[in-house]
């Protein structure tokens, strides 16, 4: 705390309150607001807690290896075990010093940042994500520009990769069921599904605290989250949980119809969240198998499915029971139906209506295989519009669709655009601390470059191959995450499937995939 206070002008404002043998100290400095908080035992003088900078307002910035996903996935043995399996299974052991093997290491490089994050060292953790972003971004652009996947492939027989994938899939499901937790994102999905299933628009109808009567015991921080809502139910408050796209909540409906929700947020009432997480994680794995089979046969199918199963961050998402696997699953199937403009548009739009980042892919995806074929692009747009209409049909549930649409916009885009957070390098100016740079101007420049790049891919290149679509999709999603103010490790799965497809597709398979005919039906694309 002393070292942090040295970054500010002397003589800050100090406030202290006493309760039940403990002093709570709060320190304030000008525009920065509260910069330090902590607690001290009155009898012994022992410091019980001490939080500085982003740790003051953000509990998730205080560290703790089990906060996201539970302690098991964050343990050295399990995490490094996944990393080892990923490398052993995918490294080209015949070319140890190849770029392909370096690509695999960079896919795991985010683990270093996560190590610091789990120890509450946000200012060390966040800068360490950008070298991995930069490498994968440049490599994706290069593959997209040349249309050629990297040289090399896994050395293992297909049956070995399949056996390892089946084992890992079972292990992953066990980890989720027995050793995971449900964070607020998963709770939001369950609440949204409950609202839809009972005939209510989720937007503007999430449970709140406010002045609602309490109906449960206080949590570890002394806060009572369970309140009697206007529907008469005792429910866990989640006021900002309606900030996601409609598909994010609709995806939880199958799990809700099976397991329901009793209004609580604890280990015994979140079966819907666990089931949904396992379902969409499995769909990602199955989808990658199907994509691999279609574009490269059994070997690529086994390679892509194994890559998802062994990559530790996909299990990190599963164990945190977030909604982040829904978006890539839908996009994977959109890529599988690459030769059908209508289905490609439908799945692309459904993926975009989870957490909105895939909206940046739509200009690129609308122009396969020829960016100047407006007939195919029109079919893509029609498919996207039909999917959007189906997803937004829930706005009709309360009988006031225009009002519901307004609430949707303000609670999603309006909330996200004005969000500040320390979980990137872009918004540290909010702390007004000496030594922390203000990089907001650079963020604006990069955001503009991202938009220009996405628009350029509407027309260029004219002829696109599957590997180019995958590579440019990866580049756009990596670029999107790179300029986000609020970023978290669960978002890595958004781009990973396309990185895996573009980086792991053998050249022999990629070079022999023919361009589809205009009238080709889904599922008829020839493969080597």
């Amino acid at each position: 705390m002393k070292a942090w206070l040295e970054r500010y002008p002397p003589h800050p404002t100090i406030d202290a309150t006493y309760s039940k043998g403990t002093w709570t100290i709060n320190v304030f400095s000008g525009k920065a607001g509260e910069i330090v908080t902590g607690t001290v035992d009155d009898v012994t003088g022992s410091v019980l807690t001490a939080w500085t900078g982003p740790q003051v307002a953000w509990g998730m910035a205080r560290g703790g290896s089990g906060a996201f996903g539970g302690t098991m996935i964050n343990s050295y043995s399990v995490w490094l075990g996944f990393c080892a399996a990923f490398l052993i299974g995918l490294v080209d052991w015949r070319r140890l010093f190849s770029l392909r093997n370096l690509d695999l290491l960079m896919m795991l490089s985010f683990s270093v940042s996560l190590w610091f994050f789990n120890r509450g060292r946000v200012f060390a953790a966040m800068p360490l994500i950008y070298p991995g972003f930069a490498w994968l971004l440049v490599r994706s652009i290069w593959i997209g520009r040349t249309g050629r996947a990297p040289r090399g492939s896994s050395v293992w027989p297909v049956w070995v990769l399949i056996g390892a994938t089946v084992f890992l899939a079972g292990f992953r499901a066990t980890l989720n069921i027995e050793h995971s937790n449900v964070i607020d994102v998963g709770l939001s999905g369950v609440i949204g599904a409950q609202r839809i299933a009972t005939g209510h628009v989720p937007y503007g109808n999430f449970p709140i605290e406010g002045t609602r009567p309490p109906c449960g015991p206080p949590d570890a921080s002394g806060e009572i989250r369970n309140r009697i809502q206007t529907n008469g139910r005792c429910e866990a408050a989640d006021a900002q949980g309606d900030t996601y796209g409609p598909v994010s909540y609709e995806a939880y409906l199958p799990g809700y119809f099976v397991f329901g929700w009793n209004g609580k947020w604890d280990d015994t009432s979140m079966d819907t969240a666990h089931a949904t997480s396992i379902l969409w994680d499995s769909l990602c794995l199955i989808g990658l198998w199907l994509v691999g089979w279609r574009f490269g046969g059994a070997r690529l199918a086994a390679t892509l499915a194994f890559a998802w199963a062994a990559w530790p961050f996909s299990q990190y998402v599963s164990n945190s029971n977030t909604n982040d696997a829904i978006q890539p699953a839908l996009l994977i199937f959109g890529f599988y139906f690459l030769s059908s403009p209508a289905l490609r548009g439908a799945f692309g739009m459904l993926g975009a209506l989870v957490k909105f980042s895939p909206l940046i892919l739509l200009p690129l995806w609308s122009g396969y295989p020829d960016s100047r074929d407006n007939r195919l692009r029109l079919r893509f747009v029609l498919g996207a519009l039909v999917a959007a209409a189906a997803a937004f049909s829930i706005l009709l549930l309360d009988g006031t669709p225009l009002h519901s649409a307004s609430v949707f916009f303000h609670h999603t885009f309006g909330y996200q655009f004005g969000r500040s957070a320390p979980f990137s390098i872009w918004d540290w100016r909010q702390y007004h601390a000496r030594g922390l740079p203000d990089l907001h101007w650079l963020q604006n420049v990069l955001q503009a470059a991202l938009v220009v790049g996405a628009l350029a891919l509407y027309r260029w290149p004219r002829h696109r191959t599957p590997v180019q679509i995958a590579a440019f999709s990866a580049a756009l999603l990596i670029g999107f995450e790179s300029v986000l103010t609020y970023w978290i490790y669960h978002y890595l799965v958004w781009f990973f499937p396309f990185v895996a497809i573009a980086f792991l597709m053998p050249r022999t398979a990629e070079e022999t995939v023919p361009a589809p005919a205009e009238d080709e039906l889904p599922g008829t694309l020839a493969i080597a």
Side-chain angles (χ1 to χ4, degrees), residues 197-333:
T198 54
H200 298 285
V201 177
Y203 303 104
N205 288 315
F206 263 53
I208 62 173
E209 290 186 32
T211 59
R212 304 306 304 170
C215 57
D219 58 18
S221 63
E223 182 181 6
I224 300 178
R225 294 186 58 90
N226 290 0
R227 303 297 179 101
I228 302 294
Q229 302 301 316
T230 54
N231 59 8
R233 281 168 49 97
C234 178
E235 296 179 338
D238 186 20
Q240 277 75 50
D242 57 347
T243 188
Y244 307 115
V247 177
S248 180
Y249 307 114
E250 293 159 352
Y252 281 78
L253 285 172
Y256 175 79
F257 288 137
V258 175
F259 296 103
W261 180 53
N262 64 5
K264 297 180 180 179
W265 183 16
D266 55 33
D267 293 338
T268 61
S269 61
M270 286 286 106
D271 289 344
T272 295
H274 287 279
T276 302
S277 181
I278 293 173
L279 170 64
W280 288 95
D281 177 76
S282 301
L283 287 174
C284 286
L285 190 152
I286 294 169
L288 283 171
W289 168 273
L290 293 174
V291 166
W293 188 274
R294 186 172 192 185
F295 294 106
R299 170 160 289 280
L300 183 58
T303 299
L304 294 180
F306 174 83
W308 178 268
W311 195 51
F313 286 100
S314 62
Q315 186 59 35
Y316 187 69
V317 168
S318 177
N319 260 46
S320 299
N321 290 283
T322 73
N323 56 13
D324 291 285
I326 302 170
Q327 178 175 294
L330 292 167
L331 294 180
I332 289 168
F333 280 94

Side-chain angles (χ1 to χ4, degrees), residues 349-425:
M349 179 57 74
L350 291 175
L353 294 180
V354 178
K355 281 193 168 180
F356 307 117
S357 61
L359 288 172
I360 203 167
L361 299 181
L362 298 185
L364 168 69
W365 279 35
S366 68
Y368 176 83
D370 188 335
S371 67
R372 300 185 186 182
D373 192 327
N374 292 326
R375 292 173 300 169
L376 295 180
R377 183 162 269 144
L378 178 60
R379 297 178 197 174
F380 175 91
V381 172
L382 291 176
L385 290 176
V386 170
F392 279 113
S393 64
I394 62 171
L395 298 183
L396 302 172
L397 291 174
D398 287 342
T400 56
L402 293 180
H403 172 72
S404 297
S406 175
V407 175
F408 159 78
F409 180 82
H410 289 292
H411 285 218
T412 55
F413 292 103
Y415 173 71
Q416 295 293 346
F417 285 159
R419 202 173 189 184
S420 61
F423 306 114
S424 68
I425 62 174

